[in-house]
Amino acid sequence: LAVLASVGLKNKVVITLIGTGAVKPLYQPIKRILLKWAYRRADKLVAVSRNTRAEVLRVVPDLEIEVINHGVDFEKFQITNHKLQTNSKSQITNLKPYILSVGALKKRKGYKYSLRAFSEVAAGFPNLKYVIVGQGPEREALKLQVTSYKLQDRIVFFDGLPEEDLIALYHNAELFILLPQDVGWDIEGFGLVFLEAAACGLPVVATLGTGAADAVRDGYNGLLVPAADGAKAAQAVIKILSAPELRNSFSENSFKFAKMMSWEKAAQNYLGAYKAAS
């Protein structure tokens, strides 16, 4: 609609490509025609990750697309800026030690594989729990999976948490894990939760070939594993938990990485894109 309007108004158009919405319509006949026309007519195309850009170029290879990653409000996620209620403090203390996931309970988030990974990790770390924060259509299926692993007492689901409690959960976790998958053309555009976890100093385990590859630095503040591979994810978690020096290094680097990935930096990059289009 914006591109159509620009034809008459003669305004410049910048289109930002964000995950599924930028890709899935390219596989729907009528929408593909319209979207390819809009992409080609736009004065500037920006993608939020290299993976989003790659998925669009798979269908429309002649486009020029700049990648501008999301940012994170680093100060917002510092625990000193928040006050927890006494009952929340005790609840989080009772959960420790735990690994953490945050994200909607949908197939593309890869919980099927992170639960499988935890089922392997759990055997070697008998006190460890797995906390999952989110809600969505896969909730019941995931709970059945938990039951099949006989880990009901070690895997905890939360949703609708106050922001202060969520930030406290980040800070008290051992590491952050989320294994997004591209399911058909439903893709993870970027993954802000990875930057939130980094801002809280968490080592991260995520997947290659997805938007997460721009939100985590492999071997610097975490480990990237193949998609749909619970065994490799389990190995990555065990590697981090078993090596305090590696874990501390990833933790320090997560803070550095999150500080670098600021919204101020993202805003300046977008400003440059807008100027280039004008």
Side-chain angles (χ1 to χ4, degrees):
L1 289 175
V3 176
L4 277 172
S6 74
V7 174
L9 297 173
K10 298 182 179 179
N11 288 342
K12 300 290 184 177
V13 177
V14 177
I15 297 178
T16 301
L17 311 173
I18 304 177
T20 302
V23 175
K24 191 172 183 178
L26 291 172
Y27 293 88
Q28 299 166 345
I30 295 176
K31 290 183 179 179
R32 178 170 61 245
I33 294 170
L34 294 171
L35 204 57
K36 287 172 71 174
W37 172 79
Y39 284 169
R40 288 191 172 117
R41 190 173 180 88
D43 297 281
K44 184 75 175 179
L45 295 173
V46 176
V48 296
S49 69
R50 289 171 293 167
N51 186 56
T52 299
R53 176 177 65 184
E55 289 298 324
V56 172
L57 292 177
R58 193 188 302 273
V59 182
V60 199
D62 58 328
L63 299 176
E64 290 187 12
I65 305 173
E66 180 181 353
V67 175
I68 300 178
N69 296 143
H70 288 319
V72 65
D73 184 348
F74 181 82
E75 294 301 326
K76 173 183 175 181
F77 288 92
Q78 301 318 295
I79 196 71
T80 53
N81 295 338
H82 298 268
K83 292 182 179 180
L84 282 177
Q85 298 297 323
T86 303
N87 60 343
S88 297
K89 289 181 182 178
S90 61
Q91 186 178 24
I92 291 172
T93 300
N94 291 336
L95 288 170
K96 296 175 68 174
Y98 61 88
I99 63 174
L100 176 68
S101 292
V102 178
L105 306 183
K106 55 177 65 174
K107 288 184 178 179
R108 82 156 189 257
K109 298 295 183 179
Y111 286 114
K112 172 182 176 181
Y113 302 102
S114 58
L115 286 173
R116 184 181 301 171
F118 182 72
S119 72
E120 297 183 26
V121 173
F125 296 84
N127 295 320
L128 189 68
K129 295 184 179 69
Y130 181 16
V131 175
I132 298 173
V133 181
Q135 54 186 332
E138 290 293 299
R139 188 182 186 92
E140 294 308 314
L142 295 174
K143 286 192 171 183
L144 284 175
Q145 187 179 355
V146 170
T147 301
S148 72
Y149 293 141
K150 296 181 171 59
L151 291 170
Q152 299 95 313
D153 59 335
R154 297 181 61 183
I155 298 175
V156 183
F157 290 86
F158 289 113
D159 63 68
L161 289 178
E163 187 174 78
E164 290 80 5
D165 289 1
L166 176 59
I167 292 172
L169 279 173
Y170 274 126
H171 277 275
N172 284 278
E174 304 299 311
L175 60 79
F176 184 83
I177 180 172
L178 195 67
L179 307 175
Q181 322 287 311
D182 290 354
V183 180
W185 303 294
D186 184 14
I187 72 170
E188 187 78 0
F190 180 75
L192 278 173
V193 289
F194 296 110
L195 292 186
E196 293 177 359
C200 297
L202 288 181
V204 178
V205 176
T207 42
L208 293 160
T210 68
D214 278 23
V216 182
R217 284 193 175 179
D218 189 28
Y220 179 73
N221 76 313
L223 298 172
L224 295 176
V225 300
D229 194 332
K232 287 289 176 61
Q235 292 171 16
V237 171
I238 292 169
K239 182 176 181 178
I240 294 172
L241 294 179
S242 302
E245 289 187 4
L246 178 66
R247 181 183 162 201
N248 291 338
S249 174
F250 281 172
S251 178
E252 292 175 7
N253 291 339
S254 274
F255 278 124
K256 295 175 184 176
F257 181 55
K259 282 185 177 180
M260 184 183 71
M261 298 290 284
S262 68
W263 280 119
E264 289 77 12
K265 178 181 176 181
Q268 287 301 313
N269 288 336
Y270 271 106
L271 183 60
Y274 296 152
K275 287 181 177 178
S278 64

